[in-house]
Amino acid sequence: MSRAVIAPQALVAIGGRATRLRAEDIRVGASKSFMVSGRRPLLYWCLKSLHAAGVRRLLLAGNEPVHLRKAEAVLRCAHFEFDSVVYVQDAGLGLHGLPAQLTGLLEDTVLFEAGHGISHPRHYQAMLARKTEDNVVFSAFPTNPGNPRYRVLVDGEGRGYPAFGPSKRSGLGLPLALAQPMLIDRRYVELLSAFDYTVDRIADHYLATGRLAAVRSGLPVEFDLSGEYRVAMGWYRLSLAADPAAERPWSSTELSPAGPR
């Protein structure tokens, strides 16, 4: 009998400066979380999917007061409710150090998500099912040569292996890029300072000790560059237009990572 999957608290980063997108002349507004698809901010679709996955406790962190005000407005207009929502203005010292800044507000296990990223509820549930007491669970996406994200090989059980070097394993397909959403815990947060709050270094640690897990995603990676942005927004527009009455940020559980055709 499989164990019941209980959704934890979600920490959602809603701030940031979107420096690379702005440098490529993409209009961002307050932050990427409030860019619009389907007449709704991306944060709305992100929170709707988390809610559908069973998450009921939220911690929303932005580095400017406007981020928090806009997030409150998103939730006021939503057709779903969370049991607990905490708004925090962080110090703006970087995304991956954010859990360490907010450690006093975090539960033992936390879904760490970007407010402009959208994942299917089943993706979050698959991450929860793969979590153990001592691992960390990333999301895995097709790689983009223009954005050197951390890369691993992933087997059928979701175990991560080095993508390069003498330990590279055969038969696991192409390397995949790790990104948010992540499923982290207190041990992960405690290790952040020892690895200079650098996600690649802490991923190295978990990979070397055989404690890095990943769940492949069929939706696009949360975007940093204009190319990633266009692919993601193309999928979001397609999926939202497919069933606007249902307000679903997905049209299928079997989405192609190549983007809409």
Side-chain angles (χ1 to χ4, degrees):
M1 181 181 296
S2 61
R3 67 182 179 87
V5 175
I6 301 174
Q9 175 191 53
L11 166 60
V12 183
I14 60 173
R17 298 176 176 83
T19 305
R20 285 177 284 185
L21 282 183
R22 296 182 197 275
E24 296 181 83
D25 295 323
I26 301 295
R27 294 184 63 181
V28 176
S31 79
K32 291 184 283 186
S33 294
F34 305 103
M35 300 174 87
V36 172
S37 182
R39 295 179 294 180
R40 299 273 194 173
L42 294 180
L43 178 63
Y44 173 88
W45 303 112
C46 173
L47 298 183
K48 184 175 178 65
S49 189
L50 285 166
H51 188 274
V55 172
R56 294 295 182 271
R57 299 176 304 284
L58 282 181
L59 181 58
L60 299 175
N63 54 291
E64 300 289 346
V66 64
H67 301 148
L68 308 184
R69 292 197 301 270
K70 284 183 171 290
E72 286 185 282
V74 168
L75 280 169
R76 279 199 303 270
C77 298
H79 302 298
F80 47 88
E81 294 184 2
F82 292 88
D83 296 338
S84 171
V85 182
V86 178
Y87 301 89
V88 179
Q89 184 175 344
D90 69 85
L93 301 178
L95 173 66
H96 291 289
L98 189 57
Q101 297 177 50
L102 306 178
T103 183
L105 298 172
L106 299 180
E107 297 177 3
D108 291 340
T109 304
V110 181
L111 268 168
F112 186 22
E113 178 62 292
H116 60 282
I118 300 176
S119 293
H120 195 282
R122 291 182 185 174
H123 181 80
Y124 295 125
Q125 291 165 347
M127 296 178 71
L128 290 160
R130 202 156 279 171
K131 184 74 176 75
T132 67
E133 290 184 358
D134 60 358
N135 74 356
V136 61
V137 185
F138 285 83
S139 298
F141 302 85
T143 60
N144 174 1
N147 195 348
R149 299 176 188 271
Y150 193 91
R151 300 179 184 187
V152 298
L153 299 171
V154 181
D155 69 14
E157 301 299 317
R159 290 183 291 266
Y161 299 93
F164 308 103
S167 61
K168 178 178 178 179
R169 297 198 172 205
S170 61
L172 297 182
L174 296 173
L176 297 172
L178 300 185
Q180 287 176 300
M182 302 163 57
L183 188 55
I184 62 175
D185 54 26
R186 289 196 177 276
R187 178 59 180 155
Y188 175 93
V189 177
E190 290 167 358
L191 287 171
L192 281 170
S193 62
F195 293 100
D196 298 324
Y197 308 99
T198 304
V199 69
D200 286 9
R201 291 189 60 193
I202 198 165
D204 278 341
H205 168 76
Y206 277 93
L207 194 65
T209 54
R211 295 182 293 134
L212 188 149
V215 175
R216 302 172 192 236
S217 178
L219 280 164
V221 66
E222 57 88 9
F223 50 86
D224 289 326
L225 306 176
S226 61
E228 292 177 336
Y229 159 77
R230 292 187 177 97
V231 169
M233 296 299 273
W235 260 123
Y236 300 159
R237 282 192 295 270
L238 178 72
S239 300
L240 292 166
D243 192 4
E247 298 185 327
R248 294 171 62 195
W250 53 86
S251 58
S252 169
T253 58
E254 299 293 332
L255 295 175
S256 165
R261 292 173 175 83

